Amino acid sequence: YQSNQDSTDHILSAGFTTTFSPRLKWVLQGGAEARILNNTTTEGAASHYLGPFLETDVQYAFKPGSALVGSIRYGTEPSGVSGISIRQTLRGSLALQYSFAGRLGTDLGISYEHDHYDQPGSANDFSQEFYTASVGLRYQFNPAFALTARYEYSAVKSEVETDEYTRGVSTLGLEVIF
């Protein structure tokens, strides 16, 4: 079957960036999104949605090539799920980038996401939670080439049992910088 996932959006946002020191920076942005949903419970009808969003980042560079970054975002987004137009999402993450020396570095990350899928006028709403942790290494051979290795573990917990899963992904790569 086919479903109309189209929507028309208008976003108004405002924010600021504050640099407390050469090492510490804070970004805050908020606004509202007006969305006309073509995927509704009534055939041929469009519904309208007005929703807020707020996002913030704190970045602390504790030494050259090394930083700690925390992010939080709450807002509404297109769901990507047939029959449901709106996804209310809360995301949070913490990432550490550390340079051991000029050539060797690592990154560690954890993130959490809570999604609530909501279709106006429908009783088929549900929620999901995503958990992710990652670790990576990077070795810079010279200014043009770097070797990378990364492992990421993800888990999804859902009110829809068939949507639950866990996975581990390992990658090995060669970066070409130009």
Side-chain angles (χ1 to χ4, degrees):
Y1 67 95
Q2 291 184 340
S3 166
N4 185 350
Q5 295 289 325
D6 292 340
S7 64
T8 303
D9 302 340
H10 299 284
I11 297 175
L12 175 65
S13 65
F16 63 86
T17 300
T18 300
T19 303
F20 294 106
S21 73
R23 294 180 176 210
L24 182 61
K25 181 169 85 169
W26 176 40
V27 178
L28 178 68
Q29 180 175 328
E33 174 183 20
R35 185 179 296 264
I36 300 169
L37 309 168
N38 295 332
N39 176 18
T40 63
T41 56
T42 306
E43 186 67 34
S47 64
H48 301 273
Y49 177 79
L50 179 63
F53 71 89
L54 182 67
E55 53 193 26
T56 186
D57 292 341
V58 175
Q59 303 170 11
Y60 179 67
F62 53 90
K63 73 175 220 170
S66 301
L68 184 62
V69 179
S71 300
I72 296 176
R73 183 187 194 286
Y74 173 77
T76 56
E77 304 170 350
S79 77
V81 174
S82 180
I84 298 179
S85 297
I86 300 167
R87 178 179 71 205
Q88 298 174 31
T89 300
L90 173 65
R91 287 190 185 94
S93 66
L94 188 60
L96 171 68
Q97 300 166 333
Y98 187 80
S99 177
F100 292 106
R103 294 177 179 241
L104 182 63
T106 189
D107 64 87
L108 303 169
I110 58 171
S111 65
Y112 169 78
E113 180 176 330
H114 177 86
D115 293 340
H116 180 72
Y117 295 86
D118 183 23
Q119 176 64 35
S122 173
N124 296 326
D125 301 347
F126 67 96
S127 294
Q128 293 186 148
E129 294 179 326
F130 297 80
Y131 304 90
T132 304
S134 64
V135 61
L137 286 172
R138 185 175 192 274
Y139 183 78
Q140 185 83 36
F141 290 109
N142 58 43
F145 295 99
L147 181 65
T148 62
R150 182 175 178 84
Y151 177 76
E152 181 177 290
Y153 176 80
S154 301
V156 175
K157 303 293 181 198
S158 178
E159 292 174 356
V160 178
E161 192 173 308
T162 57
D163 287 353
E164 291 190 4
Y165 67 87
T166 61
R167 72 175 172 198
V169 177
S170 300
T171 57
L172 183 61
L174 179 65
E175 286 184 16
V176 178
I177 302 128
F178 55 92

